[in-house]
Amino acid sequence: MGRVVDGSSLRNRKRKSSHRKRFDTLDNFGAIHEFEDKAERLAEIARTYLATRKEGKSSLIVAPTHAECRAIADVIRDQQKKQGLLGAEEYRIARLSKLNLTESQKRDPISYQLGQVVEFHRRARGECKSGERWDVAGTVAQGVIALKDGHTKLLPLGQTGSFELYTSQDIVLATGDAVRITKNFRVGARQLRNNELCTVKAIDGRNIVLNDNRVISYQRPLHLDQGIAVTSHAAQGKTVDEVIVSVPVAAFSQASQAQFYVSM
């Protein structure tokens, strides 16, 4: 007995077949390597990345999730320290991690937790100025209380397009570390751009000096992160000699066709 396949199913099947052929092309080229053991996979990524850097070439690692990026960066930094590629003295830097809430979530006081940071990118009611940061101090019946320099105010939850919500996290840096800028901001007359990749040329208890001699004070949390491994979104537009794509089984739910295409 024959089976009837509708047009959309047929198109999807052809599309999957096309993707499979392209995947097979990469596999036949020897570009795909599978590892059963997580530690072995991370070690091989680190070996390949560091070998390319030693040749004087640029290398970038792309992964579907921030958790995978951080796991890779931790292993590579450990190897860099053992090989003397990072400065001996490390500094703990506070960084801002964007929560990526929807406008609806930002209007709901339940989304706010003590210690989170609200940063305004345009003026809002209550004399909130662009560039100001307020700490979440709690919630009341009327809304969310924000604190700055000993002063409190209610956040203008009706103007959520004027600010973003962040958590403050720590990152350890040393001379030689790769970092990624996570938001446009200025240092004096010089601009730092979102997703820009830089290298730490020098660092002390107050400032970070980048490879092009821009100096960033870290007396307050910064918009930066490690720059060894990034998501496909952050990798767009980059030009490097070698790309390593890490897609663990645990991250398959985040590894869409679009993500894989951008990574390639």
Side-chain angles (χ1 to χ4, degrees):
M1 181 175 179
R3 183 173 62 169
V4 178
V5 180
D6 64 37
S8 61
S9 297
L10 187 59
R11 284 194 298 273
N12 287 336
R13 185 172 298 175
K14 288 181 177 178
R15 189 178 298 116
K16 289 178 180 178
S17 176
S18 177
H19 291 320
R20 186 173 292 110
K21 288 179 181 178
R22 287 165 173 79
F23 192 87
D24 288 343
T25 298
L26 287 171
D27 198 15
N28 293 335
F29 187 67
I32 297 175
H33 304 274
E34 295 182 81
F35 296 89
E36 294 288 340
D37 182 72
K38 177 181 177 180
E40 183 183 357
R41 173 174 56 81
L42 294 177
E44 179 61 18
I45 290 172
R47 186 199 65 77
T48 304
Y49 174 85
L50 292 172
T52 300
R53 297 296 297 268
K54 284 181 181 178
E55 293 175 1
K57 298 179 181 179
S58 57
S59 182
L60 185 65
I61 303 167
V62 182
T65 67
H66 291 290
E68 173 69 4
C69 290
R70 207 160 297 285
I72 293 169
D74 287 345
V75 172
I76 290 178
R77 285 195 82 251
D78 183 62
Q79 289 298 313
Q80 287 178 310
K81 285 188 286 186
K82 290 178 179 178
Q83 296 176 29
L85 300 176
L86 297 181
E89 194 163 4
E90 295 185 321
Y91 296 85
R92 191 167 294 276
I93 312 298
R95 59 173 294 270
L96 291 178
S97 177
K98 188 177 177 182
L99 288 174
N100 293 315
L101 302 182
T102 65
E103 295 304 304
S104 177
Q105 288 173 319
K106 285 196 289 182
R107 286 192 293 269
D108 189 345
I110 200 171
S111 300
Y112 295 79
Q113 303 294 325
L114 188 68
Q116 290 173 338
V117 178
V118 176
E119 183 173 79
F120 287 85
H121 49 259
R122 66 170 68 106
R123 294 183 66 89
R125 285 196 314 271
E127 299 183 357
C128 298
K129 300 176 182 178
S130 177
E132 282 189 345
R133 292 179 184 174
W134 291 74
D135 296 326
V136 175
T139 58
V140 292
Q142 296 89 342
V144 178
I145 299 176
L147 172 68
K148 179 179 180 291
D149 299 330
H151 301 286
T152 61
K153 68 169 61 180
L154 283 174
L155 280 180
L157 297 185
Q159 295 179 278
T160 54
S162 299
F163 62 84
E164 291 293 348
L165 187 63
Y166 299 86
T167 58
S168 180
Q169 302 174 347
D170 286 346
I171 182 173
V172 175
L173 294 179
T175 301
D177 260 315
V179 294
R180 178 175 65 90
I181 306 303
T182 57
K183 182 186 176 183
N184 293 341
F185 65 94
R186 301 188 73 84
V187 175
R190 305 185 70 177
Q191 179 80 23
L192 289 101
R193 301 191 179 279
N194 185 36
N195 286 327
E196 183 180 352
L197 296 175
C198 310
T199 303
V200 177
K201 181 179 179 179
I203 185 170
D204 58 25
R206 294 184 61 85
N207 299 309
I208 301 169
V209 181
L210 301 179
N211 50 295
D212 61 358
N213 294 320
R214 286 176 294 182
V215 179
I216 308 174
S217 170
Y218 62 88
Q219 300 311 296
R220 69 173 191 165
L222 296 176
H223 289 287
L224 59 72
D225 199 357
Q226 60 80 23
I228 297 171
V230 302
T231 63
S232 60
H233 174 76
Q236 294 185 70
K238 301 291 185 294
T239 300
V240 292
D241 296 311
E242 176 191 72
V243 176
I244 303 168
V245 181
S246 176
V247 190
V249 172
F252 272 11
S253 62
Q254 304 296 318
S256 65
Q257 291 178 1
Q259 184 273 336
F260 188 74
Y261 171 80
V262 172
S263 300
M264 292 303 101

